[in-house]
C-alpha cells in the first residue's frame, strides 16, 4: 500500500489536470506541480508514522498526475510538427533519466551503511533528495512561455504573439502561425466533458485509453517497482538485486533515446507494432526461464533489459504523444487527462497485485500472462491506431474528423 498509494494520488491529479490546465494555463499548473513535489518530498522524509508517509506520497502522486498530463500536452502545443513526436518524447526521456539517477543514488546510499541504518534513515535521505529537482523546476519555469494555443483560446492574442515569437526562429512566420491557430480555435465551441464521448471522437478516446492499458499490462511497472524481488527469485543476493535496478533504469534511458531519435521517422504506429511483437517474444522467454528450478541469472538480465529497451522505444513514448495529436485544441486537455488517468489506474492495479500474482501463480504463469497481453496489444494497434507523424495539429484534426 505504501508503494501503490502514490498512484492513488496520481489518479486524483489526472482527474483535475485537464480542466485545471484549461482554466489557468499549462505553465501555472507546472508551478503547482513543483510546489507539490517539494511539500511531498519533505513530508516523506520527516514522516513520523505510516499515515503521514502515505499522505505525503499522495501529495507527490497528485503532482505526478498533473505533470504526466500537462507536460506532454504543453510540449505538443509548442512544438513544430516535424519534430513534435521527438520533443514530446523528451518528457519521457528525462523521466527515465530521473529514474536512473535515483536508482544510482539509492544503491549508493544503501551500500555505504549497515542494514539497520538503512532501515531507519536511508529512505528518508533518498526522499529528501527529491527537493533538489523540484527547486530546479520552479526556477526553470520562469524562463518558458505559456502555450500560444491556450492564450489564443483565452482571447489573449498579443500575449500569444509574444509567446510564438519566443518559440520560432522565423519571425516572419509569427503572424501566419497565430492566424492559423486563431482560425482553428475560432471555429470551435467551448468544450464539454460529454463531448469527448461523442461518436466522432469515441474511436480516438478508445485508442488513447486502451494504449495505456497495454502500456501497463505488458509489465513495465511491475519490472520497475519489483525488479529486486524478480532478481532475487532468480538467485541474486539482496545487494546484487538492488544494483541490477540500475541496469534496468539505464535500459529504459537507452530505449527512450532510441525512440526520440526515430519516432518522427518511423512513425507512431510502426513503433507500437514492433514493441508489441518484441515484448511478446521476450516475456515468453522470461516465463520459460522461470520454469527452471534455478533460472539462468545472466540470461534473465539480458532478456529483462532488452524487454525494457523495446518497451521504451514503443509504448513508453508513443502513449504520451498520441493524445496531444488526435484531439481538437478545445478538448485536448480532457483527452490528455483521459489518457493519463488510464495509465495511472492500470499502474495502480499492476503495482497492487503483481506481487500477489507471483506468490499465488508463480513467476512463470505471471510473465506468460504479460506476454499474452503484449500479443493482444499487437492486434489492437494493427486494427485501430492511425499514423499521426509530421502533420500540423489542425491538418490532423481535419483528417481524423473525415475518417
Amino acid at each position: 500500500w505504501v508503494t501503490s498509494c502514490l498512484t492513488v494520488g496520481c489518479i486524483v491529479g489526472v482527474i483535475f489536470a485537464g480542466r485545471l490546465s484549461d482554466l489557468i494555463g499549462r505553465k501555472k499548473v507546472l508551478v503547482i506541480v513543483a510546489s507539490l513535489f517539494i511539500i511531498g518530498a519533505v513530508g516523506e522524509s520527516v514522516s513520523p508514522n505510516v499515515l503521514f508517509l502515505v499522505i505525503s506520497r499522495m501529495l507527490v502522486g497528485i503532482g505526478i498526475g498533473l505533470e504526466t498530463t500537462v507536460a506532454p500536452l504543453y510540449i505538443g502545443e509548442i512544438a513544430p510538427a516535424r519534430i513534435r513526436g521527438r520533443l514530446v518524447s523528451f518528457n519521457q526521456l528525462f523521466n527515465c533519466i530521473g529514474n536512473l539517477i535515483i536508482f544510482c543514488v539509492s544503491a549508493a546510499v544503501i551500500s555505504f551503511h549497515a542494514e539497520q541504518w538503512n532501515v531507519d534513515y536511508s529512505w528518508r535521505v533518498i526522499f529528501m533528495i527529491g527537493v533538489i529537482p523540484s527547486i530546479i523546476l520552479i526556477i526553470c519555469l520562469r524562463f518558458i512561455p505559456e502555450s500560444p494555443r491556450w492564450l489564443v483560446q483565452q482571447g489573449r492574442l498579443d500575449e500569444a504573439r509574444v509567446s510564438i515569437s519566443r518559440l520560432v526562429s522565423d519571425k516572419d512566420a509569427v503572424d501566419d502561425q497565430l492566424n492559423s491557430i486563431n482560425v482553428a480555435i475560432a471555429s470551435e465551441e467551448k468544450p464539454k466533458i460529454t463531448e469527448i464521448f461523442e461518436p466522432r471522437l469515441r474511436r480516438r478516446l478508445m485508442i488513447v485509453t486502451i494504449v495505456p492499458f497495454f502500456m501497463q499490462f505488458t509489465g513495465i511497472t511491475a519490472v520497475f517497482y519489483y525488479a529486486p524481488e524478480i532478481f532475487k527469485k532468480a538467485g541474486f543476493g539482496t545487494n546484487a538485486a538492488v544494483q541490477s535496478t540500475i541496469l534496468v533504469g539505464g535500459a529504459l534511458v537507452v530505449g527512450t533515446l532510441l525512440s526520440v531519435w526515430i519516432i518522427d521517422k518511423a512513425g507512431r504506429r510502426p513503433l507500437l507494432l514492433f514493441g508489441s511483437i518484441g515484448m511478446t517474444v521476450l516475456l515468453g522467454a522470461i516465463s520459460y526461464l522461470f520454469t527452471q528450478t534455478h533460472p539462468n541469472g545472466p540470461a534473465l538480465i539480458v532478456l529483462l533489459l532488452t524487454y525494457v529497451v523495446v518497451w521504451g522505444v514503443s509504448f513508453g513514448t508513443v502513449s504520451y504523444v498520441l493524445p496531444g495529436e488526435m484531439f481538437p485544441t478545445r478538448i485536448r486537455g480532457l483527452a490528455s487527462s483521459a489518457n493519463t488517468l488510464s495509465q495511472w489506474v492500470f499502474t495502480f492495479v499492476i503495482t497492487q497485485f503483481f506481487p500477489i500474482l507471483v506468490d499465488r501463480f508463480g513467476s512463470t504463469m505471471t510473465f506468460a500472462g504479460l506476454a499474452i497481453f503484449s500479443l493482444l496489444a499487437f492486434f489492437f494497434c494493427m486494427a485501430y491506431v492511425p499514423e499521426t507523424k509530421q502533420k500540423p495539429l489542425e491538418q490532423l484534426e481535419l483528417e481524423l474528423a473525415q475518417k
Side-chain angles (χ1 to χ4, degrees), residues 189-339:
E189 299 176 358
K190 289 290 184 180
K192 299 177 181 178
I193 294 179
T194 55
E195 184 179 358
I196 203 171
F197 300 102
E198 291 180 358
R200 68 187 181 88
L201 296 176
R202 198 172 295 156
R203 182 187 178 107
R204 289 182 245 182
L205 179 64
M206 177 186 70
I207 292 168
V208 300
T209 53
I210 294 184
V211 168
F213 167 82
F214 287 119
M215 180 186 182
Q216 294 302 328
F217 273 72
T218 50
I220 190 65
T221 298
V223 170
F224 252 72
Y225 283 10
Y226 298 110
E229 298 303 316
I230 295 172
F231 286 121
K232 284 181 186 178
K233 287 185 178 295
F236 287 82
T238 300
N239 285 342
V242 171
Q243 291 167 2
S244 297
T245 62
I246 298 174
L247 298 177
V248 173
L252 187 53
V253 171
V254 171
T256 309
L257 275 171
L258 288 173
S259 185
V260 169
W261 179 46
I262 67 173
I263 190 170
D264 285 317
K265 300 175 184 178
R268 288 52 159 159
R269 188 169 183 267
L271 287 182
L272 290 177
L273 296 176
F274 161 76
S276 302
I277 289 298
M279 289 188 294
T280 300
V281 174
L282 291 164
L283 289 168
I286 293 170
S287 174
Y288 173 75
L289 276 185
F290 278 110
T291 62
Q292 304 171 17
T293 305
H294 300 289
N296 187 309
L300 176 64
I301 288 180
V302 171
L303 288 172
L304 270 177
L305 295 183
T306 306
Y307 154 81
V308 171
V309 170
V310 170
W311 182 90
V313 168
S314 55
F315 283 82
T317 49
V318 175
S319 182
Y320 292 103
V321 174
L322 289 178
E325 296 184 325
M326 296 183 64
F327 287 84
T329 301
R330 69 184 183 282
I331 59 170
R332 197 168 289 140
L334 291 174
S336 295
S337 288
N339 172 266

Side-chain angles (χ1 to χ4, degrees), residues 19 32 55 73 90 206 258 279 336 358 372:
R19 189 56 93 173
I32 294 173
I55 293 172
L73 171 66
F90 272 21
M206 177 186 70
L258 288 173
M279 289 188 294
S336 295
V358 171
I372 291 172

Side-chain angles (χ1 to χ4, degrees), residues 141-162:
L141 285 171
R142 293 176 55 85
F143 301 99
I144 67 171
E146 180 56 87
S147 163
R149 283 182 171 82
W150 181 81
L151 291 169
V152 171
Q153 200 171 32
Q154 304 302 308
R156 295 155 62 175
L157 300 184
D158 291 338
E159 294 177 61
R161 182 178 287 103
V162 173

Side-chain angles (χ1 to χ4, degrees), residues 325-395:
E325 296 184 325
M326 296 183 64
F327 287 84
T329 301
R330 69 184 183 282
I331 59 170
R332 197 168 289 140
L334 291 174
S336 295
S337 288
N339 172 266
T340 317
L341 178 62
S342 298
Q343 291 183 32
W344 287 115
V345 167
F346 299 131
T347 297
F348 173 77
V349 173
I350 285 290
T351 308
Q352 190 74 14
F353 294 106
F354 178 79
I356 298 174
L357 292 173
V358 171
D359 287 342
R360 181 163 297 184
F361 299 106
S363 299
T364 298
M365 292 298 295
T366 302
F367 279 97
L370 298 177
I372 291 172
F373 278 114
S374 298
L375 185 60
L376 292 175
F378 173 81
F379 291 118
F380 175 82
C381 294
M382 175 69 77
Y384 292 106
V385 177
E387 185 51 69
T388 60
K389 69 172 182 176
Q390 295 186 356
K391 297 178 181 179
L393 296 178
E394 289 71 27
Q395 174 192 340

